[in-house]
Amino acid sequence: MDRVALRGLKARGHHGVFPQEREEGQTFIVDVVLGLDTRPAAADDDLAKTVHYGIVAEEVVALVQGDPVDLVETLAERIAQACLQHEGVQEVEVCVHKPDAPITVPFDDVTVTITRSRA
């Protein structure tokens, strides 16, 4: 299976369990790796036979900016399901970064990574 990756998609969202997270929001960063067969697109040099990663990027950002959820896991699942709606995408790995998570000790990042497939 071939992979098309989008890394470092940034958007402001209001996700989290604490009132301050919901009110003020914070930046989320999303990495998406789409699994699909790119051979038909390559053979015909035809965008219609692959996934349009620009559209996927816009959809991911819209989900981050959209309706708030308590858990990063829920946001990752929503993103994965949206990606699987694209014809040809058989599998997706989604990693949601929450670098400004409300943690009381020094840290670099918090991530939730999920893998989903059509099967």
Side-chain angles (χ1 to χ4, degrees):
M1 189 165 315
D2 304 318
R3 295 184 310 238
V4 173
L6 294 159
R7 303 213 188 269
L9 297 169
K10 294 180 185 175
R12 190 159 186 84
H14 294 265
H15 312 288
V17 296
F18 297 114
Q20 183 176 345
E21 293 179 290
R22 291 295 184 107
E23 292 167 14
E24 295 177 13
Q26 60 192 291
T27 299
F28 291 83
I29 303 166
V30 180
D31 304 321
V32 176
V33 180
L34 307 167
L36 65 154
D37 184 358
T38 62
R39 288 176 292 192
D44 294 337
D45 198 28
D46 186 353
L47 176 60
K49 294 183 178 179
T50 188
V51 64
H52 191 309
Y53 53 78
I55 291 173
V56 173
E58 291 171 359
E59 292 172 353
V60 169
V61 166
L63 285 166
V64 173
Q65 294 173 334
D67 293 334
V69 295
D70 287 344
L71 302 178
V72 176
E73 292 86 343
T74 305
L75 179 60
E77 185 68 33
R78 287 182 177 180
I79 292 168
Q81 293 307 316
C83 291
L84 288 171
Q85 294 301 310
H86 289 268
E87 187 176 341
V89 175
Q90 298 300 309
E91 177 179 281
V92 63
E93 179 182 281
V94 176
C95 180
V96 178
H97 302 254
K98 190 174 178 180
D100 298 320
I103 296 176
T104 60
V105 298
F107 73 102
D108 289 329
D109 198 6
V110 172
T111 66
V112 171
T113 302
I114 65 170
T115 303
R116 299 292 183 264
S117 64
R118 288 183 186 266

